[in-house]
Amino acid sequence: MSEPAIMEIDNVNFENHQPVYNDKKEILEGFLRPQKMLNPKFFYDHHGSVLFEKITQLPEYYPTRIERKILKDNAQSIADHCGTETIIMEPGSGSSEKVRILLDSLRPRAYVPMDIAGDFLLESAIKLGGQFPWLDIHAVCADFSQPGWIPEKIPEGKRLVFYPGSTFGNMQPEDALDFLEKLKIFLNGSGGVLIGIDLHKPEALLNAAYNDREGITAQFNLNALNNINQLAEADFDLANFEHHAFYNSNEQRIEMHLVSQRDHSVSIDGETITFGKNESIHTESSYKYTVDSFSTLVASAGFRVVNSWVDEEVLFSVHYLELD
Ligand SMILES: C[S@@+](CC[C@H](N)C(=O)[O-])C[C@H]1O[C@@H](n2cnc3c(N)ncnc32)[C@H](O)[C@@H]1O
């Protein structure tokens, strides 16, 4: 990583590894594929992060509500497995809301939230630091889809990766395995991973969660184009696209797309990209697992599931993994 800009505010240290995601080439490559696609990280400018927080409060969006309940109901059991006095790193920490549930039982030596959305990360870290003045916070703005993202300048001690929100499910299984390999660098031979994983369930529940009645998920999906307009000097007109989300049972994943409503073309970083009517941009996948299929996947990256916590309706799961 390049030398970061560093800022200190009370108990919060903020490292900004700019440039974070100004990779116009990466954006353009996605639009040159037969199935146009965007990495879901492009949802998350500041506005996208605010919209995601709104999604987490929607009645249809069960993952946040159920995961929070699992963490609350099992906070002591989780601490018994993960141990106290650890250095907790949370990749894709967003608002850092969920870690609050565990802070009293885990009593970490330090918390390292890391996220691509730098302004939102800084705001969230300062808010958390004010509410937990005893907590040593080392916030890191970086892109975990790029090499070398594991922060280096963090306190010594036993390490715990906290990876809630089923963000793991947004990765293709092969990328998820690669991500677990990277976590081993941070774990440095010991410690573990506390991870939230969304489970298979009736399609109607899944489809409702990604097609909320208020249309917030649609706004969130479309906002990726606003972000691309800024990052890659593009001229997307959002009115030319519609949100489309559905469960793909063959791939066992929710897919989010933006569907072009007419034939038109867009300029991206000086290149002209054409869209046919009904042609889509695949903006996100959200893979669903069973406890067994997840255990099998992580085993191939050298991790063992030590314990799993699941809600009564078996909608969502939280797992504690250790290196095998
Ligand atoms: C689904 S949200 C989860 C937020 C929070 N952890 C939770 O459980 O509610 C995904 C988070 O990961 C961040 N993110 C997505 N892709 C990223 C990347 N490539 N590098 C760093 N952060 C990323 C987003 O900014 C967002 O805050």
Side-chain angles (χ1 to χ4, degrees):
M1 278 201 260
S2 56
E3 270 308 300
I6 297 187
M7 195 191 289
E8 280 202 44
I9 303 155
D10 300 326
N11 53 334
V12 178
N13 176 294
F14 179 72
E15 274 184 35
N16 196 351
H17 291 264
Q18 293 288 6
V20 186
Y21 61 159
N22 61 352
D23 194 345
K24 296 177 187 168
K25 194 165 152 259
E26 182 188 351
I27 293 170
L28 202 52
E29 270 172 12
F31 285 102
L32 294 172
R33 294 185 186 199
Q35 167 61 71
K36 293 178 168 69
M37 39 198 322
L38 262 183
N39 186 311
K41 68 185 179 184
F42 294 112
F43 289 135
Y44 297 98
D45 58 0
H46 189 277
H47 185 53
S49 302
V50 171
L51 286 171
F52 179 73
E53 283 312 299
K54 283 194 180 173
I55 290 174
T56 64
Q57 286 151 27
L58 293 167
E60 297 95 334
Y61 196 74
Y62 65 86
T64 306
R65 192 174 58 254
I66 307 284
E67 189 178 30
R68 286 179 62 91
K69 181 163 168 25
I70 295 173
L71 296 175
K72 254 188 210 151
D73 290 352
N74 300 285
Q76 191 50 53
S77 165
I78 288 172
D80 291 344
H81 284 87
C82 300
T84 55
E85 299 280 312
T86 57
I87 312 297
I88 302 180
M89 178 183 62
E90 182 176 348
S93 50
S95 62
S96 288
E97 276 299 324
K98 288 175 191 155
V99 79
R100 287 171 163 78
I101 301 169
L102 298 176
L103 286 176
D104 283 341
S105 52
L106 287 178
R107 279 275 154 178
R109 282 189 42 203
Y111 172 57
V112 184
M114 68 102 28
D115 207 286
I116 199 163
D119 297 347
F120 193 77
L121 170 67
L122 180 58
E123 276 171 30
S124 304
I126 291 172
K127 190 169 158 205
L128 184 72
Q131 287 166 342
F132 294 86
W134 54 267
L135 185 63
D136 186 11
I137 302 175
H138 292 252
V140 179
C141 177
D143 176 353
F144 60 60
S145 70
Q146 300 294 330
W149 62 272
I150 296 283
E152 285 163 13
K153 293 176 198 148
I154 42 177
E156 291 296 318
K158 187 183 165 198
R159 292 172 174 193
L160 176 69
V161 175
F162 181 46
Y163 198 38
S166 209
T167 309
F168 185 83
N170 296 143
M171 299 176 183
Q172 303 288 341
E174 60 275 17
D175 294 338
L177 288 177
D178 188 50
F179 183 81
L180 287 174
E181 287 297 332
K182 301 268 169 31
L183 292 185
K184 288 183 186 168
I185 304 171
F186 173 77
L187 292 177
N188 204 11
S190 70
V193 180
L194 185 67
I195 184 165
I197 296 294
D198 199 6
L199 299 175
H200 290 295
K201 56 186 60 62
E203 273 190 49
L205 272 179
L206 286 168
N207 286 329
Y210 293 83
N211 290 288
D212 64 278
R213 276 163 297 179
E214 275 187 62
I216 308 290
T217 314
Q219 287 177 39
F220 173 72
N221 196 4
L222 283 160
N223 182 62
L225 300 182
N226 268 334
N227 196 19
I228 299 301
N229 281 346
Q230 299 299 319
L231 293 171
E233 288 138 55
D235 60 359
F236 279 101
D237 179 350
L238 275 55
N240 283 336
F241 290 89
E242 269 188 14
H243 166 74
H244 181 49
F246 61 95
Y247 184 64
N248 177 336
S249 54
N250 288 335
E251 299 288 344
Q252 306 198 318
R253 66 188 188 200
I254 281 280
E255 291 185 14
M256 292 222 298
H257 292 253
L258 288 167
V259 181
S260 171
Q261 298 303 294
R262 52 195 62 84
D263 294 339
H264 73 291
S265 61
V266 173
S267 167
I268 305 175
D269 193 27
E271 297 274 338
T272 301
I273 304 293
T274 56
F275 288 87
K277 186 172 165 121
N278 294 329
E279 186 181 359
S280 82
I281 312 167
H282 185 172
T283 50
E284 187 183 70
S285 293
S286 180
Y287 282 86
K288 309 302 167 190
Y289 291 92
T290 62
V291 170
D292 283 348
S293 67
F294 176 70
S295 305
T296 307
L297 180 71
V298 300
S300 54
F303 284 89
R304 165 176 67 92
V305 176
V306 179
N307 205 58
S308 301
W309 297 268
V310 178
D311 61 292
E312 282 165 9
E313 291 176 82
V314 198
L315 295 176
F316 201 91
S317 57
V318 173
H319 309 263
Y320 177 61
L321 319 178
E322 280 184 353
L323 290 164
D324 216 358

